[in-house]
Amino acid sequence: ILHNFYRQLLALQYKYETDLEVKQIAQHLPWYGPEYSPHDVPNFYDIAGITENPKVFRKVIDIFVNRYKALGDKGPTRIAGFDARGFIFGPPIAAGLQIPFIMIRKVGKLPGVVATSGEYQTEYSTDESSIRIGSVSREDRVVLIDDLIATGGTALAGIRLVEAFGAEITEFAAIVSLPFMDGVKKIHEFDNGKFKDVSCFTLVDSDLIGPEMCANPPAGTPRVLAPEEVEKFLGKLRNFKRKESTSKPTPPASTGEAAAAPAAAATEEVKA
């Protein structure tokens, strides 16, 4: 009984620590509105907030590496990353596990003989993915990774490709999930539940990335700058940030004093 109690306590501690890590990662995922995004979507989540912070980037990679190391002999033998942002997270995870990384590329980008997914719809456009023959075999266990899952179209295309090689799909994984777009549900319901047992693991739900993470520049800022305009723009941006920080009201001294009074009274009550 005591052994089980400690196991449950450790599990709760692990969940608590993981939840804290996820919240920290969410704080490094800025988003842009449609006027400053490469696609016409309400929120474009920018993973550069992770890659430009080495500690956070390392934390993300470690979460995935530790997750798959814990599977032991049932762990993946290949990491497959989607073109293009899956190429950012996939290689360091594969290197941490000391297993190969394979590329799922947009059609027309790979040499040799390739297997293609056929066309599919994403939240942005119509795409088609491919894997080079020889990259994966029927003996492999594959984790597929991307930066984000929305409609599930890209993930499903990769899953179908890996399945065509006869390999086992260990998991589909992503950094960010948009739950309201039902991507995971679509994977599990595809072809009468053909992939209903495929594990789908994501780190951060978009619900955790609030309006305070909007990174849109000041109104009127052009979307694209010529090289000779960059220095001038950076000067304007610095001035804007300086004005913004100095325009915030400073709390009156009495606020701090008023807050201190009850604390002193509480201390006295304890002493009494």
Side-chain angles (χ1 to χ4, degrees):
I1 294 173
L2 191 60
H3 177 68
N4 286 337
F5 170 76
Y6 280 122
R7 284 184 62 185
Q8 290 173 6
L9 191 63
L10 286 171
L12 285 171
Q13 183 181 359
Y14 174 77
K15 185 181 185 305
Y16 174 73
E17 290 172 354
T18 304
D19 287 348
L20 282 179
E21 288 177 330
V22 167
K23 287 177 182 176
Q24 289 169 358
I25 292 164
Q27 291 168 1
H28 289 83
L29 280 165
W31 60 269
Y32 292 84
E35 63 272 34
Y36 292 104
S37 299
H39 300 285
D40 187 18
V41 292
N43 293 23
F44 185 91
Y45 298 98
D46 185 12
I47 58 165
I50 291 174
T51 61
E52 292 174 5
N53 186 308
K55 287 184 179 179
V56 177
F57 195 11
R58 179 78 265 170
K59 187 189 296 290
V60 169
I61 299 305
D62 286 347
I63 287 173
F64 284 102
V65 170
N66 293 336
R67 177 177 178 81
Y68 300 129
K69 277 185 176 179
L71 296 178
D73 294 340
K74 300 295 183 181
T77 60
R78 294 280 193 280
I79 301 292
F82 289 90
D83 191 351
R85 289 182 287 273
F87 296 174
I88 295 171
F89 297 98
I93 294 170
L97 294 168
Q98 297 185 11
I99 60 176
F101 171 77
I102 63 174
M103 294 182 286
I104 303 175
R105 296 219 64 183
K106 291 182 172 64
V107 73
K109 300 291 185 180
L110 285 173
V113 180
V114 299
T116 67
S117 64
E119 290 189 348
Y120 56 89
Q121 286 293 130
T122 73
E123 63 274 29
Y124 306 138
S125 61
T126 300
D127 280 330
E128 187 173 0
S129 293
S130 61
I131 294 180
R132 182 179 55 80
I133 300 294
S135 297
V136 60
S137 70
R138 64 171 53 253
E139 289 79 25
D140 282 318
R141 297 181 298 276
V142 182
V143 166
L144 300 95
I145 190 159
D146 207 352
D147 67 319
L148 178 144
I149 179 170
T151 64
T154 302
L156 192 52
I159 289 169
R160 293 179 67 195
L161 273 173
V162 170
E163 187 224 15
F165 284 85
E168 179 185 333
I169 299 149
T170 302
E171 187 165 81
F172 168 79
I175 311 304
V176 181
S177 169
L178 308 184
F180 61 92
M181 297 199 79
D182 290 332
V184 172
K185 182 181 178 183
K186 289 171 186 173
I187 292 170
H188 289 158
E189 291 182 351
F190 175 77
D191 196 9
N192 295 317
K194 184 177 184 179
F195 301 121
K196 62 182 174 60
D197 295 325
V198 169
S199 172
C200 295
F201 173 71
T202 56
L203 274 183
V204 181
D205 281 356
S206 58
D207 299 341
L208 282 176
I209 308 170
E212 74 281 358
M213 293 304 295
C214 178
N216 280 355
T221 302
R223 170 82 169 96
V224 180
L225 300 171
E228 61 272 15
E229 296 175 311
V230 172
E231 187 176 351
K232 183 179 178 182
F233 167 73
L234 290 176
K236 284 184 177 179
L237 190 61
R238 281 192 292 269
N239 288 335
F240 174 81
K241 287 183 176 178
R242 195 178 298 115
K243 287 177 182 177
E244 192 179 48
S245 62
T246 55
S247 65
K248 291 178 180 177
T250 304
S254 59
T255 303
E257 291 167 4
T267 305
E268 290 171 0
E269 288 171 8
V270 171
K271 286 180 180 177

